[in-house]
């Protein structure tokens, strides 16, 4: 992959980059020896970066080719776009991670905020975990109020998922039970805010549920988001 931005670095910056890349590669080994890693910052991922990387189009076309020609509706194409963007975050090397971060507007905004505006509030890190396959219609955003999971929405709301509509009660119960058994006990009794937003993923047809991230946010307005899928009693 051509990374022309490296040509613009000073000698000191290149030295710093080499040290950072080496440290990151060492930390990624745990996940890349027999698989792939997913890497983000403490704030967000670089999921906008694939849009400006050459292999995104290749991934999209490869995914689209798995659909029959008479089933390439707008909905199917959006499925493929989301899947390609997700697959592009599957990484083996620190070079790939750094390239994505450099090209990401999301990462730039977060690091600028951390470095310039609110240094005392931000302590950014690399967050590394095993890359887990997630179907694009199986990621959910949960809304927690007073430690109660009160609502659940479809994360990728631009697509229509028939199985999600047909089996919404199953998925609602699955995520609700997981929250009560695995997540809530880790949050209650701590200094973490009682109101938050938590992202979940249902993997392997429900055999595995991932707790992706939790955000400290005031969710009074977000509960009324147009993408609301389930209201949990």
């Amino acid at each position: 992959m051509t990374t022309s931005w490296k040509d613009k670095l000073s000698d000191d910056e290149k030295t710093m980059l080499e040290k950072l890349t080496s440290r990151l590669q060492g930390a990624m080994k745990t996940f890349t020896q027999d698989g792939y890693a997913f890497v983000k910052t403490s704030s967000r991922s670089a999921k906008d970066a694939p849009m400006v990387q050459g292999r995104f189009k290749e991934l999209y076309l490869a995914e689209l080719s798995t659909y029959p020609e008479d089933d390439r509706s707008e909905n199917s194409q959006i499925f493929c776009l989301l899947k390609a963007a997700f697959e592009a975050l599957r990484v083996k090397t620190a070079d790939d991670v750094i390239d994505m971060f450099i090209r990401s507007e999301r990462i730039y905004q977060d690091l600028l905020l951390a470095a310039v505006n609110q240094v005392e509030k931000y302590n950014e890190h690399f967050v590394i975990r095993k890359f887990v396959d997630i179907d694009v219609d199986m990621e959910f955003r949960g809304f927690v109020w007073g430690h109660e999971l009160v609502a659940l929405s479809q994360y990728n709301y631009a697509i229509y998922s028939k199985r999600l509509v047909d089996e919404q009660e199953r998925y609602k119960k699955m995520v609700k039970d997981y929250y009560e058994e695995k997540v809530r006990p880790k949050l209650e009794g701590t200094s973490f805010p009682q109101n938050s937003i938590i992202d979940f993923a249902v993997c392997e047809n429900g055999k595995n549920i991932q707790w992706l991230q939790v955000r400290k946010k005031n969710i009074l307005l977000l509960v009324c988001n147009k993408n609301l899928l389930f209201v949990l009693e």
Side-chain angles (χ1 to χ4, degrees), residues 20-217:
L20 177 63
T21 303
S22 178
R23 290 179 60 195
L24 179 58
Q25 189 65 55
M28 290 172 60
K29 275 186 178 179
T30 301
F31 305 98
T32 57
Q33 285 178 338
D34 59 353
Y36 291 85
F38 169 79
V39 185
K40 62 187 288 291
T41 67
S42 303
S43 300
R44 293 190 289 179
S45 71
K47 66 181 181 181
D48 57 330
M51 300 297 292
V52 294
Q53 291 179 309
R55 68 192 187 108
F56 175 74
K57 184 177 181 180
E58 296 174 6
L59 290 168
Y60 166 70
L61 292 176
E63 187 65 29
L64 187 63
S65 69
T66 65
Y67 285 73
E69 290 192 7
D70 60 352
D71 185 29
R72 296 182 181 179
S73 63
E74 181 179 355
N75 193 62
S76 296
Q77 292 177 50
I78 297 175
F79 254 97
C80 294
L81 284 170
L82 292 171
K83 182 65 174 177
F86 178 75
E87 286 296 321
L89 298 177
R90 183 195 301 260
V91 293
K92 268 282 191 187
T93 70
D95 283 325
D96 288 339
V97 176
I98 297 298
D99 187 69
M100 283 198 301
F101 281 17
I102 290 293
R103 298 173 188 274
S104 171
E105 183 71 19
R106 286 158 55 92
I107 298 296
Y108 171 76
Q109 291 173 349
D110 292 345
L111 293 184
L112 183 65
L113 181 66
V116 178
N117 297 325
Q118 300 186 45
V119 179
E120 72 284 356
K121 291 184 179 180
Y122 288 83
N123 189 11
E124 289 291 311
H125 298 276
F126 286 109
V127 178
I128 309 167
R129 62 172 179 252
K130 180 181 178 181
F131 185 92
V132 177
D133 285 312
I134 302 172
D135 291 340
V136 296
D137 60 338
M138 287 290 107
E139 189 171 350
F140 305 93
R141 173 151 290 178
F143 301 90
V144 175
W145 188 261
H147 289 307
E148 294 285 343
L149 182 60
V150 295
L152 195 65
S153 71
Q154 182 179 343
Y155 188 85
N156 291 313
Y157 57 87
I159 54 175
Y160 168 78
S161 170
K162 186 177 185 303
R163 67 171 171 175
L164 191 51
V165 173
D166 292 344
E167 301 183 72
Q168 60 178 282
E169 290 300 320
R170 175 184 175 227
Y171 293 118
K172 179 173 71 173
K173 183 178 186 305
M174 202 177 291
V175 175
K176 176 73 170 178
D177 290 348
Y178 178 81
Y179 171 77
E180 292 294 338
E181 295 170 12
K182 303 291 185 180
V183 182
R184 185 170 182 169
K186 295 180 183 298
L187 300 181
E188 273 190 319
T190 71
S191 60
F192 198 86
Q194 295 185 25
N195 311 322
S196 60
I197 296 173
I198 304 179
D199 291 343
F200 302 92
V202 176
C203 310
E204 302 174 48
N205 199 29
K207 295 179 182 178
N208 180 19
I209 298 181
Q210 297 283 326
W211 170 17
L212 300 180
Q213 64 180 347
V214 56
R215 298 172 181 267
K216 305 176 184 178
K217 279 191 179 179

